Amino acid sequence: MSPAPSAAPPSRLDHEARLYLAAHPLAYPLVRLLARLGPVVRVPGLGVVVNDAAVARAVLNDERFRKDGPGSPADLWTPVLGPSVLLNMEGPDHLALRRKLMPLFTPAYVSGLVADVLREPLKALDARLARGETVDLVDAMRVMAGAVICRTIGLGEVPEERARELFAEGERVVSMVSLRSRRLSDRQVAIARRVLDRIGDIAQAAYEAGDESTVMGRMRVQGLSAAEARGAAGAFFLTGTETVATFVPRLVALVCDHGTTVDGPDRLDRVIDEAMRVTTPTPVMLRSVAEPALVGEVAVRPGDRVLIATHNCARAHGPFDPSRPHPPELRHLWFGAGPHFCIGYPLALAEIRAVASTVLSHRVRVVRRRAARGVLIPTYEHLWITAS
Ligand code: HEM
């Protein structure tokens, strides 16, 4: 599996930076500038910003830094998703809910789910590339990630249009958040609730049907209440659609731009991990401070918020280069660390592997691309690829 040489060598290394700039024209230069000011920097109006992977990991593993206090992600998401959806919980309740949800994400189960949902779409994508068609990988990926999340929340097979629609609704909600957001406005909450209520209704119907072959049916077997299952579906929908869908085109573009060879599953995993490091689809993680503490050498107190600039932590390791191993403090930091480590990691990886191995089994090249504006997660609006 190896790509054809890139069509645009002189500017190829700048494409990722351009995506970030298109998404966050003001915040991105500021965030990158902060990386130069030290491992931990206090920024008035923003919070205490962490640019160092070892410090970030220490914060993520320290229970004094929380996701449920004032200034934490709970302020953003509790009004929309309810109080008990992992990403706004801490302590024993968080652990108990995680334990119930973990069995839904075993590698064996998610690989089966992905293989089943993506079998036909991947066959179609493979055939289009084999015929030499120019394919917009962004659109193809939206449909596929939309289809996986539809299945996860309890819809059966859905037409492409429905998958696209669902994807766009999730994107609309996620894009309400900016790097500076502390809470959503009443209007934003109302819009987000309308979207999430629809997801919740679908999820609850699947939960009540109790079919153990579905994720929602399995939640019931794991002892989740209907409210917990609704909340979990909403959280998966918000966290697990755009992250995956935006990453795959960026991965393929990086592989093409760098002329990277991808020969076999181990190498593919290595390339995926390195592309994750460079892109960091979740560029920032947020915590509130429960009691006085040190972040690196900076003293913080309750009321402060800590912004982990995952992107800065990861980019400190240098440009895209799959041959260089990651130091231990960086390991999978783009999926978090500690008690909130991404629960959907096995599902994300199964989806990414499935699509990337199909696309990169061809000698693909990028024909044209356009960066997306007004989005939270930097991405291509279009990435047209073709195989030669
Ligand atoms: C490329 C894909 C993905 C990336 C980069 C990603 C990244 C992350 C990160 C960084 C966190 C930790 C946030 C923090 O500590 O503040 C997280 C948590 C989470 N992720 Fe993912 N994620 C991805 C895909 C998914 C998928 C596919 C799902 C599920 C369908 C998912 C569901 C969740 C949930 C529910 C949490 C909260 C876990 C908790 O608080 O205990 N994610 N993700």
Side-chain angles (χ1 to χ4, degrees), residues 92-220:
D93 290 348
H94 173 255
L95 188 64
L97 183 56
R98 249 186 104 98
R99 287 219 172 108
K100 287 191 221 166
L101 288 169
M102 288 292 266
L104 305 175
F105 289 100
T106 59
Y109 179 71
V110 293
S111 310
L113 181 118
V114 167
D116 189 33
V117 178
L118 296 189
R119 185 171 299 115
E120 291 308 317
L122 284 178
K123 225 192 265 174
L125 179 62
D126 192 45
R128 290 179 68 193
L129 288 170
R131 282 197 299 270
E133 274 184 39
T134 298
V135 173
D136 181 3
L137 190 56
V138 173
D139 180 61
M141 198 54 223
R142 286 177 172 196
V143 171
M144 287 189 277
V148 170
I149 210 71
C150 283
R151 181 69 65 88
T152 311
I153 62 170
L155 286 173
E157 297 224 350
V158 288
E160 283 193 6
E161 258 334 287
R162 182 77 179 103
R164 269 193 199 98
E165 209 177 274
L166 214 81
F167 183 91
E169 288 187 346
E171 194 179 40
R172 187 164 172 220
V173 174
V174 172
S175 295
M176 289 173 178
V177 178
S178 79
L179 295 181
R180 284 176 63 100
S181 301
R182 285 179 181 253
R183 48 187 79 233
L184 301 178
S185 70
D186 291 348
R187 196 175 147 268
Q188 288 173 320
V189 169
I191 295 171
R193 274 225 189 115
R194 264 204 305 278
V195 172
L196 270 301
D197 274 350
R198 271 203 297 275
I199 302 294
D201 290 347
I202 297 166
Q204 190 162 347
Y207 172 91
E208 277 159 12
D211 176 353
E212 275 188 54
S213 69
T214 68
V215 176
M216 301 313 296
R218 282 163 63 97
M219 284 192 194
R220 192 170 175 168

Side-chain angles (χ1 to χ4, degrees), residues 60 67 73 85-90 94 98 101 105 148-149 152 232-233 235-248 276 280-287 308 310 332-349 351-352:
L60 294 172
K67 293 191 77 165
V85 290
L86 286 186
L87 45 87
N88 54 1
M89 298 169 79
E90 290 294 347
H94 173 255
R98 249 186 104 98
L101 288 169
F105 289 100
V148 170
I149 210 71
T152 311
F236 296 164
F237 172 69
L238 281 189
T239 52
T241 320
E242 212 179 326
T243 41
V244 177
T246 54
F247 173 70
V248 173
M276 277 282 174
T280 52
T282 308
V284 166
M285 291 180 265
L286 199 58
R287 294 294 184 272
I308 295 173
T310 317
H332 294 162
L333 191 64
W334 27 98
F335 283 103
H340 290 281
F341 182 81
C342 178
I343 198 170
Y345 169 72
L347 176 61
L349 205 60
E351 273 185 82
I352 294 163

